[in-house]
Amino acid sequence: MSEHSKPTLSSIAEHVLEELEALVGCPAEGVTAIRRDDDGWVVNADILELERVPETTDVLASYEVTVDPDGEITGYRRVHRYVRAQVEDR
């Protein structure tokens, strides 16, 4: 992240996806949520953990990533695994 400018939501999302791919070794699908908290940002992102045929049976995981006010990742954890075709009941 740039040291001279305040991070934007899109720059935070892009940075989280790149870093999360490197950390877990699987391709990122996208960011599903970003929210501000007292310590910076909390980002939820989906990762493709297991690619299958047909792709509706792919195994994905949702990760919660904490980001400091400068846009740097301070931690992450997997919060949910699911099959791509699975519909949530929340």
Side-chain angles (χ1 to χ4, degrees):
M1 302 247 91
S2 171
E3 294 178 20
H4 304 293
S5 63
K6 189 174 180 178
T8 64
L9 287 180
S10 60
S11 67
I12 291 168
E14 185 178 319
H15 183 65
V16 164
L17 292 177
E18 289 172 3
E19 289 294 311
L20 200 52
E21 280 186 353
L23 288 166
V24 299
C26 298
E29 290 277 309
V31 168
T32 58
I34 298 178
R35 67 179 167 82
R36 196 152 187 51
D37 74 358
D38 294 337
D39 300 320
W41 301 91
V42 178
V43 179
N44 292 73
D46 288 348
I47 298 291
L48 176 60
E49 290 195 337
L50 182 60
E51 192 170 3
R52 293 182 172 164
V53 175
E55 71 178 32
T56 55
T57 61
D58 289 347
V59 177
L60 292 101
S62 294
Y63 283 79
E64 181 179 271
V65 183
T66 53
V67 180
D68 70 16
D70 295 324
E72 294 303 318
I73 292 175
T74 59
Y76 74 97
R77 69 186 180 107
R78 183 172 63 196
V79 293
H80 181 63
R81 284 183 90 193
Y82 61 98
V83 175
R84 187 181 297 277
Q86 180 180 336
V87 176
E88 289 189 45
D89 288 2
R90 292 187 195 191

